[in-house]
Amino acid sequence: MAVGARSGHDDPEEGREQLAESPEPVTDRTTRFGDDDGERGGGGPGRAERGDSEQDDGEGEPTKAKPRSFWKELPLLILIALALALVIKTFLVQAFSIPSDSMQDTLQRGDRVLVDKLTPWFGAEPQRGEVVVFHDPDSWLGDTPTAEPNAVQHFLSFIGLMPSAEEKDLIKRVVAVGGDTVECKKGGKVTVNGHALDETDFIYPGNTPCDDKPFGPIKVPKDRIWVMGDHRQNSLDSRYHQELEGNGTVPNDQVVGRAVVVAWPVNRWSTLPVPDTFDQSGLSAAAALAPAAVPGALGLAGAVPLVLWRRRRLTRGRTDG
């Protein structure tokens, strides 16, 4: 009863019990499967070998190199950073510190400016209205005392991580370039090629254009520039060195580059664009010569037909005679 209630069929139940109690049929079947796999190239021994191989591979796999310590990498990083800083300072951008008040209010004492040194490598020359840094051309600074930086400051300045320690550099605004005629009479404005400059946007409040030192007219030699400070009554610029070579002008090859940005202090951050007065039409020397050439050109154009007509009459008269 118990059996019938459990299965309901005697024979199949006995067969299942035999299958469970006897391991032999299972063993045979397993062996057969292994043989079949072996015939297909994937038998039991093959599987065992693969398993061993995978384990060997795992145990024999070469250990990956451990990353180098940060402290070991640090000297190399510092060396690369210094090399990049030196390249940038030499060819691209250099920082300069403003040591005087000669460019107020555009620049204040202690400002740090960034100077573009890249464009001159491609043949760019100083243009009217630009603020430029240049080497002292003819001892303009004379015996002016200069700060003596220590060795660390010299090094940081050399690689460009600090403003230049070279105190023999000056910063002024370009007013005229090679070929221009520049002039300023007392009580008047600065003129370039006969065109008056409106300097109210950048000249120091309360200053006159040149009442402390009138000058000109001066013809600026080729490849030189005439420079002036924005604080006219506190700037020993080109006006005060007219006895030197070039009548106080600065050679273009002494120009380090154009100051483009006030980078420090943060509250003084600003760009240094060219004032609009230097963009007025007719300011260039070539344009200034054009009006003077117009009457002569018109006269020549009118004279040519008259001369040709007269020559024809004379030739015709000789033929008739």
Side-chain angles (χ1 to χ4, degrees), residues 5-72:
R6 184 176 65 248
S7 63
H9 300 279
D10 294 337
D11 293 340
E13 194 68 29
E14 292 174 357
R16 278 196 295 272
E17 289 175 1
Q18 184 180 9
L19 181 63
E21 292 173 358
S22 176
E24 294 174 356
V26 177
T27 303
D28 293 340
R29 182 177 298 179
T30 304
T31 304
R32 245 188 344 266
F33 291 161
D35 292 341
D36 291 342
D37 289 343
E39 291 174 0
R40 291 193 296 268
R47 284 198 301 273
E49 290 175 3
R50 282 200 300 273
D52 294 340
S53 175
E54 290 172 0
Q55 185 175 2
D56 291 343
D57 290 342
E59 294 175 355
E61 183 178 348
T63 305
K64 293 183 179 179
K66 295 181 179 179
R68 297 179 65 181
S69 168
F70 169 76
W71 299 109
K72 292 182 179 179

Side-chain angles (χ1 to χ4, degrees), residues 126-130 132 134 140 172-178 180-184 190-192 197 210 213-221 223-229 232 237-242 246-252 278:
Q127 300 297 315
R128 304 180 197 90
E130 295 179 348
V132 297
F134 56 95
W140 284 21
K172 305 291 181 187
R173 188 180 299 277
V174 179
V175 174
V177 297
D180 289 344
T181 298
V182 60
E183 181 180 11
C184 185
V190 175
T191 64
V192 178
L197 300 178
C210 67
K213 188 70 173 178
F215 63 92
I218 293 175
K219 179 81 169 181
V220 181
D223 296 327
R224 299 179 79 95
I225 54 176
W226 176 272
V227 297
M228 301 175 73
R232 295 293 162 79
D237 45 41
S238 289
R239 298 171 294 163
Y240 289 87
H241 304 284
Q242 297 180 52
N247 294 327
T249 58
V250 178
N252 286 355
F278 291 96

Side-chain angles (χ1 to χ4, degrees), residues 145-165:
T146 58
E148 192 63 35
N150 58 41
V152 175
Q153 290 173 326
H154 264 301
F155 175 72
L156 294 178
S157 173
F158 173 73
I159 62 175
L161 294 181
M162 281 187 64
S164 175

Side-chain angles (χ1 to χ4, degrees), residues 35-36 57 65 77-78 83-84 89-90 97 99 102 117 128 170 180 236 242 253-254 287 295 301 313 321:
D35 292 341
D36 291 342
D57 290 342
L77 294 176
I78 293 176
L84 289 176
K89 176 251 183 180
T90 303
S97 179
S102 67
K117 301 178 70 174
R128 304 180 197 90
L170 299 97
D180 289 344
L236 299 178
Q242 297 180 52
D253 59 11
Q254 292 297 307
R313 287 195 61 182

